[in-house]
Coordinates of all heavy atoms in Angstrom, one line a residue:
Chain U
T156 N -114.8 36.7 -23.5 CA -116.0 37.1 -24.2 C -115.8 37.1 -25.7 O -115.0 37.9 -26.2 CB -116.4 38.5 -23.7 OG1 -115.3 39.4 -23.8 CG2 -117.0 38.5 -22.3
W157 N -116.5 36.3 -26.4 CA -116.3 36.1 -27.8 C -117.4 36.8 -28.6 O -118.5 36.8 -28.1 CB -116.2 34.6 -28.2 CG -114.9 34.0 -27.8 CD1 -113.8 33.9 -28.6 CD2 -114.6 33.3 -26.6 NE1 -112.8 33.3 -28.0 CE2 -113.2 32.9 -26.7 CE3 -115.2 33.1 -25.4 CZ2 -112.6 32.2 -25.7 CZ3 -114.6 32.4 -24.4 CH2 -113.3 32.0 -24.6
P158 N -117.1 37.3 -29.7 CA -118.1 37.9 -30.6 C -119.0 36.8 -31.2 O -118.5 35.6 -31.3 CB -117.3 38.6 -31.7 CG -116.1 37.9 -31.8 CD -115.8 37.3 -30.4
V159 N -120.2 37.1 -31.5 CA -121.1 36.2 -32.1 C -120.6 36.0 -33.6 O -120.2 36.9 -34.2 CB -122.5 36.8 -32.1 CG1 -123.4 36.1 -33.2 CG2 -123.1 36.6 -30.7
A160 N -120.7 34.7 -34.0 CA -120.2 34.4 -35.4 C -121.2 35.0 -36.4 O -122.4 34.9 -36.2 CB -120.0 32.9 -35.5
H161 N -120.6 35.4 -37.5 CA -121.5 35.9 -38.6 C -122.4 37.0 -38.2 O -123.6 37.0 -38.6 CB -122.3 34.7 -39.2 CG -121.4 33.6 -39.6 ND1 -120.5 33.6 -40.7 CD2 -121.3 32.3 -39.1 CE1 -119.9 32.5 -40.8 NE2 -120.3 31.7 -39.8
A162 N -122.0 37.9 -37.3 CA -122.8 39.0 -36.9 C -123.0 39.9 -38.1 O -122.1 40.0 -39.0 CB -122.1 39.8 -35.8
A163 N -124.1 40.5 -38.2 CA -124.5 41.3 -39.4 C -123.6 42.5 -39.5 O -123.2 42.9 -40.6 CB -125.9 41.8 -39.3
N164 N -123.1 43.1 -38.4 CA -122.4 44.3 -38.5 C -120.9 44.0 -38.4 O -120.1 44.9 -38.0 CB -122.8 45.3 -37.4 CG -122.6 44.7 -36.0 OD1 -122.3 43.6 -35.9 ND2 -122.8 45.6 -35.0
R165 N -120.4 42.8 -38.7 CA -119.0 42.5 -38.5 C -118.0 43.2 -39.3 O -116.9 43.3 -39.0 CB -118.8 41.0 -38.6 CG -119.1 40.4 -40.0 CD -119.0 38.9 -39.8 NE -119.1 38.2 -41.1 CZ -120.2 37.9 -41.7 NH1 -121.3 38.3 -41.3 NH2 -120.1 37.2 -42.9
F166 N -118.5 43.8 -40.5 CA -117.5 44.5 -41.3 C -117.5 46.0 -41.0 O -116.9 46.8 -41.8 CB -117.8 44.2 -42.8 CG -117.3 42.8 -43.1 CD1 -118.3 41.9 -43.4 CD2 -116.0 42.5 -43.2 CE1 -117.9 40.6 -43.7 CE2 -115.6 41.2 -43.5 CZ -116.6 40.2 -43.8
S167 N -118.3 46.4 -40.0 CA -118.2 47.8 -39.7 C -117.5 48.0 -38.3 O -117.1 47.0 -37.7 CB -119.7 48.4 -39.6 OG -120.2 47.9 -38.4
T168 N -117.4 49.3 -38.0 CA -116.6 49.5 -36.7 C -117.5 49.5 -35.5 O -117.0 49.8 -34.4 CB -115.9 50.8 -36.8 OG1 -116.8 51.8 -37.3 CG2 -114.7 50.7 -37.8
V169 N -118.7 49.2 -35.7 CA -119.6 49.1 -34.5 C -119.3 47.9 -33.7 O -119.0 46.8 -34.3 CB -121.1 49.1 -35.0 CG1 -122.0 49.0 -33.8 CG2 -121.4 50.4 -35.8
D170 N -119.4 48.0 -32.4 CA -119.2 46.8 -31.5 C -120.1 45.6 -31.8 O -121.3 45.8 -32.0 CB -119.3 47.2 -30.0 CG -118.0 47.8 -29.6 OD1 -116.9 47.6 -30.2 OD2 -118.1 48.6 -28.6
V171 N -119.5 44.4 -31.8 CA -120.3 43.3 -32.1 C -120.8 42.7 -30.8 O -120.2 42.7 -29.8 CB -119.5 42.3 -32.9 CG1 -120.2 41.0 -33.2 CG2 -118.8 42.9 -34.1
E172 N -122.0 42.0 -30.9 CA -122.6 41.4 -29.8 C -121.7 40.1 -29.4 O -121.1 39.5 -30.3 CB -124.0 40.9 -30.2 CG -124.9 40.5 -29.1 CD -126.1 39.8 -29.7 OE1 -126.5 40.3 -30.8 OE2 -126.6 38.8 -29.2
T173 N -121.7 39.8 -28.1 CA -120.8 38.7 -27.7 C -121.7 37.4 -27.4 O -122.9 37.6 -27.1 CB -120.1 39.0 -26.4 OG1 -121.0 39.4 -25.4 CG2 -119.1 40.1 -26.6
G174 N -121.1 36.3 -27.5 CA -121.8 35.0 -27.3 C -120.9 33.9 -26.8 O -119.7 34.2 -26.5
A175 N -121.4 32.8 -26.6 CA -120.7 31.7 -25.9 C -119.9 30.9 -27.0 O -120.2 30.8 -28.1 CB -121.6 30.8 -25.2
T176 N -118.9 30.1 -26.5 CA -118.2 29.2 -27.4 C -118.8 27.8 -27.1 O -119.4 27.6 -26.0 CB -116.7 29.1 -27.1 OG1 -116.5 28.7 -25.7 CG2 -116.0 30.4 -27.4
H177 N -118.6 26.9 -28.0 CA -119.1 25.6 -27.9 C -118.6 24.8 -26.6 O -119.3 24.1 -26.0 CB -118.8 24.8 -29.1 CG -119.4 23.5 -29.2 ND1 -120.8 23.3 -29.1 CD2 -119.0 22.2 -29.2 CE1 -121.1 22.1 -29.2 NE2 -120.0 21.4 -29.2
L178 N -117.3 25.0 -26.3 CA -116.8 24.3 -25.1 C -117.4 24.8 -23.8 O -117.7 24.0 -22.9 CB -115.2 24.6 -25.1 CG -114.4 23.6 -25.9 CD1 -112.9 24.0 -25.7 CD2 -114.6 22.2 -25.5
A179 N -117.7 26.1 -23.8 CA -118.3 26.6 -22.6 C -119.7 26.0 -22.4 O -120.1 25.7 -21.3 CB -118.4 28.1 -22.6
V180 N -120.3 25.8 -23.5 CA -121.7 25.2 -23.5 C -121.5 23.7 -23.1 O -122.3 23.3 -22.2 CB -122.3 25.3 -24.9 CG1 -123.5 24.4 -25.0 CG2 -122.6 26.7 -25.3
L181 N -120.6 23.0 -23.6 CA -120.4 21.6 -23.3 C -120.1 21.4 -21.8 O -120.5 20.5 -21.1 CB -119.2 21.0 -24.0 CG -119.4 20.5 -25.4 CD1 -118.1 19.9 -26.0 CD2 -120.4 19.4 -25.4
K182 N -119.4 22.4 -21.2 CA -119.0 22.3 -19.8 C -120.2 22.7 -18.9 O -120.2 22.5 -17.7 CB -117.8 23.3 -19.6 CG -117.1 23.1 -18.3 CD -115.8 22.5 -18.4 CE -115.1 22.4 -17.0 NZ -113.9 21.6 -17.0
G183 N -121.1 23.4 -19.5 CA -122.3 23.8 -18.7 C -122.2 25.1 -18.1 O -123.0 25.5 -17.3

Side-chain angles (χ1 to χ4, degrees):
Chain U
T156 47
W157 282 271
V159 161
H161 306 292
N164 61 349
R165 62 190 187 278
F166 287 106
S167 72
T168 48
V169 176
D170 278 337
V171 180
E172 192 191 325
T173 57
T176 59
H177 186 59
L178 276 180
V180 169
L181 274 182
K182 193 111 176 169

